[in-house]
Amino acid sequence: MKINAVEIRPGNILEYEGGIWKTVKIQHTQPGKGGAYMQVEMKNLIDGRKNNVRFRSAESVEKVRLDTTDFQFLFRDGDTLTFMAKVNYEQISLDAGILGDAAAFLQDGIDVVMELWEERPISVQLPDQIEATIVEADAVVKGQTASSSYKPAILDNGVRIMVPPHIGAGTRIVVDVYEQTYVKRAD
């Protein structure tokens, strides 16, 4: 589906120079002289390259529609992640790099959504928030106010995040997977 360059939004998947690119950032610019343009930062979904491209406002680009399928994470073997399709129980193995930093938040049995382009896995989306247990947290420093200060903590998956002073080791919390930040205490 062709769209005008001014309609590009972050998160759009575009076909550009024979590759599949995900838009990361956009900036619409109208200089004093010359025509308006869109400055688009994109990431190649096949090989991970980044590119900054300037599209004229009147230019059109090809927007790609990806198929999405529900999968369940089964296990990790080194840098290989194995998922199972919830529809037909078919298993697929992918490199952990496809998830980036979010791979640390995979838990056995977690449901994910896989985006496919021409039946090839392009990306894996985890739930925005997951529950995790704090295994280590620094002691509270006397005099810190609860409203403005956070302390470092380590989760059961090894990820370091900042938590409020009242949260201690052994506490279950809800974590934002993509921002890697504390959300709230788990119920």
Side-chain angles (χ1 to χ4, degrees):
M1 173 174 78
K2 292 257 187 211
I3 61 170
N4 284 335
V6 293
E7 297 171 6
I8 298 173
R9 299 288 175 258
N12 286 162
I13 310 295
L14 306 176
E15 188 172 336
Y16 177 73
E17 292 182 345
I20 299 299
W21 300 80
K22 183 173 189 171
T23 57
V24 180
K25 291 182 189 171
I26 61 163
Q27 181 180 358
H28 186 262
T29 305
Q30 290 182 294
K33 279 186 166 181
Y37 62 88
M38 293 289 287
Q39 186 73 31
V40 182
E41 183 181 318
M42 302 186 297
K43 181 179 180 186
N44 189 307
L45 292 175
I46 306 297
D47 58 23
R49 288 181 295 139
K50 288 193 175 182
N51 194 2
N52 273 310
V53 181
R54 187 177 283 187
F55 294 106
R56 292 187 311 276
S57 293
E59 207 172 335
S60 63
V61 293
E62 187 70 29
K63 184 177 177 185
V64 177
R65 188 171 167 346
L66 298 176
D67 297 323
T68 58
T69 307
D70 291 332
F71 277 79
Q72 184 177 38
F73 175 66
L74 295 179
F75 61 90
R76 178 185 202 129
D77 184 19
D79 283 342
T80 304
L81 306 173
T82 303
F83 298 90
M84 178 184 67
K86 294 181 88 174
V87 178
N88 59 7
Y89 306 111
E90 180 183 321
Q91 290 187 12
I92 187 167
S93 295
L94 301 173
D95 185 78
I98 198 168
L99 279 165
D101 293 339
F105 291 96
L106 281 173
Q107 299 169 344
D108 292 345
I110 194 171
D111 291 335
V112 298
V113 175
M114 198 171 294
E115 292 180 321
L116 307 162
W117 177 63
E118 295 179 354
E119 297 186 21
R120 179 179 173 184
I122 295 293
S123 72
V124 178
Q125 297 175 349
L126 274 66
D128 291 336
Q129 299 177 348
I130 60 122
E131 287 188 11
T133 304
I134 294 184
V135 292
E136 185 180 318
D138 287 358
V140 177
V141 176
K142 204 169 195 170
Q144 285 183 326
T145 58
S147 62
S148 66
S149 62
Y150 279 69
K151 63 182 183 180
I154 299 175
L155 301 175
D156 52 1
N157 59 9
V159 175
R160 293 181 65 88
I161 67 165
M162 299 298 282
V163 297
H166 67 276
I167 303 292
T171 307
R172 293 225 14 108
I173 62 169
V174 176
V175 180
D176 184 300
V177 171
Y178 295 101
E179 297 290 324
Q180 294 192 3
T181 55
Y182 168 86
V183 176
K184 65 180 183 178
R185 194 177 216 144
D187 297 331

